[in-house]
Amino acid sequence: MTQGAKVRAEVWDAVDRRSQDLVALSHRIHAHPEIRFEEHRASAWLTDALEREGFEVQRPAGGLETAFVARKRGGGGDGPTVAILCEYDALEGLGHACGHNVIATIGLGGGLALGASMDQLPGELRVIGCPGEEGGGGKAYLVEAGVFDDVDAAMMIHPLAEDRQGGPSLARVGWDVTFTGEPAHAAMAPHLGVNALDAVRLAFSGLDAMRQQVTSDVRLHGIVREGGDAANIIPERASMRLLVRCADRGYLFDSLVPRARNVLEGAALMTGCDVEVNEIGPAYENMIPNRALAERYAEHARSLGRSPAAIDADDYGGSTDMGNVSQRLPALHAYIAIDDEAKPHTAPFEIAAASPRGDAAVVDGAKLLAALAADVLTDPDLLARARAERAST
């Protein structure tokens, strides 16, 4: 038996021994949803489990109170550093309708299983707790804080309605936009008013027109957050939330962002309003899939009876702050099925995240991350190919 096969057998057995505890923790996180940067219980439950099994845990980390970095050095000498990532924030109003309870316990299980074998392996294993993925951009903050500076490869698995090796994602910026005008009686003295709601309406019209002259991957979408207090009062204040996305961060920042800002400023100019534009957290960069890591992941998945679909370069999906990590080092953002039809950010997906299939995904996912991380530590050719691929994109 090769070293890789031996380690895989060991870590898979280690996951099986912990499976009941992992599933129980997945259900506990699911039952106590915490939104971005408020995940105090989930972070504590995960780090307590890591400390009990000998990891050196830093918390908080990267300037984020609910982030953590857990480390375990290998006993086999110098080698690469591989990071397994956990997400554990929920959605407002929908709980764990994106299945981050599954992501968290997949990452924990993979880390604990591989950690038990690190005395015979080179390098270093890290389990990194990444809060605030749902709109908060936690990984972007951690990247800027240097948490990933000496990491050679990073990996995580996200639940979905099918198994996939991974895929690209859309770069994204988000803005809260507020227009301020002048109030007036809408019947007696409309000429004295400056209508902030008109500015919002014109902004949406301008964005609709902009859609005609952008690439097909662009997404412009928003909501009206505030539109006035009474129909007979010219609205003094109106606000909107806008998300701008596309497949390439260069196009996003060089073209789309300035054009969208011009639309907002033009709406203010046409109505006589003032406009204030505030970013909603850091920008999410587009995900760069790493096929070397993804194909090795698929090999392990097939051994578990799963057949993850190959990466489709044109299937962008949504946005994830894992893109910020992938811009700097080889990264895997694979998908594991917890249902056949339910879509993320829906009530059925929230149910699936604590279903028997969700539980099975926790166990299988932990095995897959443990095996792949072990390969990164022990197979120099795999890491070299992953690095070369990342450098060429």
Side-chain angles (χ1 to χ4, degrees):
M1 181 181 291
T2 65
Q3 182 188 23
K6 178 176 179 291
V7 173
R8 189 175 83 169
E10 289 178 356
V11 298
W12 284 11
D13 181 63
V15 171
D16 284 333
R17 293 197 305 270
R18 295 167 172 81
S19 60
Q20 290 186 343
D21 290 339
L22 294 172
V23 168
L25 180 55
S26 175
H27 284 226
R28 192 186 319 159
I29 295 173
H30 185 273
H32 297 87
E34 300 165 295
I35 64 170
R36 56 186 170 274
F37 305 129
E38 297 182 10
E39 317 95 325
H40 298 283
R41 286 177 297 193
S43 178
W45 292 333
L46 294 164
T47 53
D48 287 350
L50 289 159
E51 285 179 329
R52 284 195 298 270
E53 298 209 23
F55 281 79
E56 176 189 337
V57 178
Q58 173 191 352
R59 55 180 176 183
L64 300 179
E65 188 175 352
T66 54
F68 63 83
V69 179
R71 297 175 171 86
K72 185 170 275 195
R73 290 286 304 171
D78 293 336
T81 296
V82 61
I84 293 175
L85 310 189
C86 298
E87 295 175 3
Y88 32 92
D89 61 320
L91 291 156
E92 295 102 326
L94 282 175
H96 279 288
C98 206
H100 289 193
N101 60 301
V102 175
I103 298 174
T105 44
I106 284 176
L108 175 67
L112 293 179
L114 183 57
S117 296
M118 283 301 295
D119 59 345
Q120 58 183 304
L121 300 177
E124 181 174 311
L125 168 65
R126 294 184 191 169
V127 179
I128 300 179
C130 305
E133 193 279 333
E134 296 291 353
K139 294 185 197 65
Y141 289 116
L142 296 180
V143 166
E144 293 305 314
V147 170
F148 292 93
D149 283 357
D150 58 348
V151 174
D152 294 286
M155 59 192 68
M156 61 171 287
I157 302 175
H158 197 295
L160 203 63
E162 63 179 309
D163 292 311
R164 294 187 191 176
Q165 296 177 25
S169 69
L170 298 174
R172 192 212 80 181
V173 296
W175 296 323
D176 279 330
V177 184
T178 302
F179 294 95
T180 304
E182 292 287 342
H185 194 293
M188 295 176 60
H191 58 287
L192 299 179
V194 176
N195 195 318
L197 183 58
D198 281 347
V200 168
R201 293 192 306 103
L202 287 167
F204 274 105
S205 294
L207 293 167
D208 287 342
M210 181 176 158
R211 286 191 180 94
Q212 301 175 65
Q213 283 81 40
V214 296
T215 56
S216 61
D217 55 286
V218 172
R219 304 289 184 268
L220 302 168
H221 47 104
I223 58 170
V224 178
R225 304 188 73 199
E226 183 180 6
D229 298 316
N232 61 351
I233 301 174
I234 300 293
E236 177 184 12
R237 174 186 169 95
S239 64
M240 59 187 289
R241 173 164 286 183
L242 174 64
L243 300 181
V244 182
R245 311 189 201 219
C246 72
D248 178 70
R249 65 173 180 168
Y251 184 54
L252 176 68
F253 294 113
D254 295 340
S255 178
L256 295 180
V257 164
R259 290 169 65 189
R261 288 294 296 259
N262 285 342
V263 167
L264 301 175
E265 291 168 6
L269 182 63
M270 284 189 286
T271 56
C273 290
D274 294 324
V275 62
E276 181 179 351
V277 181
N278 294 310
E279 291 187 354
I280 308 168
Y284 284 36
E285 300 185 68
N286 56 291
M287 180 76 198
I288 302 176
N290 191 281
R291 295 179 187 274
L293 295 178
E295 289 167 2
R296 181 65 63 88
Y297 168 86
E299 291 177 17
H300 292 305
R302 286 190 284 270
S303 297
L304 292 175
R306 294 181 179 268
S307 300
I311 292 170
D312 181 349
D314 296 320
D315 187 2
Y316 301 109
S319 303
T320 172
D321 58 6
M322 189 63 171
N324 299 61
V325 177
S326 75
Q327 294 282 343
R328 292 154 180 82
L329 63 144
L332 175 89
H333 187 274
Y335 297 95
I336 193 165
I338 64 171
D339 193 84
D340 292 329
E341 297 180 0
K343 303 299 183 185
H345 294 208
T346 65
F349 202 84
E350 191 267 347
I351 294 170
S355 69
R357 286 190 67 182
D359 298 343
V362 168
V363 176
D364 283 359
K367 291 180 177 180
L368 294 174
L369 287 188
L372 180 60
D375 287 346
V376 172
L377 293 174
T378 60
D379 186 345
D381 179 65
L382 172 62
L383 183 56
R385 287 188 287 112
R387 284 171 166 166
E389 181 184 342
R390 176 62 199 87
S392 69
T393 55

